[in-house]
Amino acid sequence: MSTMNTGGNDPIRAYIVNEFLAGEDAEDLTDDFDLIESTVVNSLGLVRLISWISDTYSIPVDDIPLEPAAYRTLADIRSFVSQAAPAAAAAS
Protein backbone atom coordinates (compact mmCIF):
# COMPACT_ATOMS: atom_id res chain seq x y z
CA MET A 1 0.00 0.00 0.00
CA SER A 2 1.45 3.30 -1.07
CA THR A 3 1.25 6.35 1.14
CA MET A 4 3.07 8.66 -1.26
CA ASN A 5 1.31 11.99 -1.66
CA THR A 6 -2.01 10.86 -0.27
CA GLY A 7 -4.62 13.14 1.15
CA GLY A 8 -4.83 16.86 0.53
CA ASN A 9 -1.24 17.28 -0.64
CA ASP A 10 -1.57 15.10 -3.77
CA PRO A 11 -2.14 17.33 -6.81
CA ILE A 12 -2.75 14.36 -9.14
CA ARG A 13 -5.48 12.92 -6.92
CA ALA A 14 -6.95 16.40 -6.39
CA TYR A 15 -7.09 17.00 -10.15
CA ILE A 16 -8.87 13.69 -10.80
CA VAL A 17 -11.36 14.29 -8.00
CA ASN A 18 -12.07 17.88 -9.15
CA GLU A 19 -12.26 17.13 -12.88
CA PHE A 20 -13.79 13.65 -13.00
CA LEU A 21 -15.51 13.04 -9.67
CA ALA A 22 -16.89 16.49 -8.81
CA GLY A 23 -19.73 16.10 -6.36
CA GLU A 24 -19.20 12.35 -6.00
CA ASP A 25 -17.78 10.38 -3.11
CA ALA A 26 -14.04 9.97 -3.76
CA GLU A 27 -13.46 7.66 -0.79
CA ASP A 28 -12.83 4.67 -3.09
CA LEU A 29 -10.16 6.53 -5.08
CA THR A 30 -7.16 4.65 -3.71
CA ASP A 31 -3.71 4.46 -5.28
CA ASP A 32 -4.64 1.20 -7.05
CA PHE A 33 -8.21 2.11 -8.13
CA ASP A 34 -8.55 1.40 -11.89
CA LEU A 35 -9.46 4.76 -13.42
CA ILE A 36 -9.82 3.37 -16.95
CA GLU A 37 -11.82 0.19 -16.30
CA SER A 38 -14.14 2.05 -13.91
CA THR A 39 -14.66 4.71 -16.64
CA VAL A 40 -13.76 7.52 -14.24
CA VAL A 41 -11.35 8.60 -17.00
CA ASN A 42 -12.64 8.02 -20.53
CA SER A 43 -10.83 8.75 -23.80
CA LEU A 44 -11.61 12.47 -23.74
CA GLY A 45 -10.69 12.59 -20.07
CA LEU A 46 -7.40 10.92 -20.89
CA VAL A 47 -6.57 13.73 -23.32
CA ARG A 48 -7.40 16.31 -20.63
CA LEU A 49 -5.30 14.42 -18.06
CA ILE A 50 -2.30 14.21 -20.41
CA SER A 51 -2.56 17.93 -21.17
CA TRP A 52 -2.76 18.76 -17.44
CA ILE A 53 0.26 16.55 -16.65
CA SER A 54 2.25 18.23 -19.43
CA ASP A 55 1.34 21.74 -18.22
CA THR A 56 1.65 21.05 -14.48
CA TYR A 57 4.92 19.15 -14.54
CA SER A 58 6.53 20.81 -17.61
CA ILE A 59 6.79 17.50 -19.44
CA PRO A 60 6.72 17.87 -23.24
CA VAL A 61 3.66 16.15 -24.72
CA ASP A 62 5.99 14.23 -27.05
CA ASP A 63 7.53 12.59 -23.96
CA ILE A 64 4.18 11.47 -22.52
CA PRO A 65 2.95 7.97 -23.35
CA LEU A 66 -0.47 7.97 -24.98
CA GLU A 67 -1.55 4.46 -24.07
CA PRO A 68 -4.28 4.30 -21.40
CA ALA A 69 -2.35 1.70 -19.37
CA ALA A 70 0.07 4.43 -18.27
CA TYR A 71 -2.84 6.18 -16.51
CA ARG A 72 -4.70 3.16 -15.11
CA THR A 73 -4.15 4.08 -11.45
CA LEU A 74 -2.97 7.02 -9.36
CA ALA A 75 0.16 4.99 -8.59
CA ASP A 76 0.85 4.54 -12.35
CA ILE A 77 0.45 8.27 -12.98
CA ARG A 78 2.68 9.22 -10.03
CA SER A 79 5.33 6.73 -11.16
CA PHE A 80 5.41 8.21 -14.65
CA VAL A 81 5.49 11.80 -13.38
CA SER A 82 8.27 11.06 -10.87
CA GLN A 83 10.41 9.62 -13.69
CA ALA A 84 9.54 12.12 -16.43
CA ALA A 85 9.43 15.40 -14.52
CA PRO A 86 13.11 15.27 -13.39
CA ALA A 87 14.14 14.34 -16.94
CA ALA A 88 12.14 17.27 -18.36
CA ALA A 89 13.71 19.63 -15.82
CA ALA A 90 17.20 18.39 -16.67
CA ALA A 91 16.58 18.87 -20.40
CA SER A 92 15.59 22.54 -19.98
Side-chain angles (χ1 to χ4, degrees):
M1 182 167 139
S2 172
T3 57
M4 177 183 152
N5 288 330
T6 56
N9 64 345
D10 180 356
I12 295 169
R13 185 180 194 283
Y15 175 80
I16 289 173
V17 168
N18 291 335
E19 292 295 315
F20 303 107
L21 296 173
E24 295 186 35
D25 182 11
E27 179 108 359
D28 291 337
L29 186 56
T30 59
D31 283 358
D32 59 355
F33 181 83
D34 193 321
L35 299 166
I36 306 297
E37 187 174 308
S38 67
T39 67
V40 168
V41 177
N42 60 21
S43 56
L44 179 58
L46 189 58
V47 171
R48 289 174 31 213
L49 178 60
I50 289 169
S51 176
W52 178 82
I53 289 170
S54 176
D55 291 346
T56 303
Y57 296 99
S58 301
I59 302 169
V61 173
D62 291 345
D63 294 345
I64 297 179
L66 300 180
E67 64 273 0
Y71 310 96
R72 190 158 295 281
T73 67
L74 287 172
D76 292 338
I77 298 167
R78 279 193 211 105
S79 176
F80 163 71
V81 167
S82 69
Q83 292 171 10
S92 335

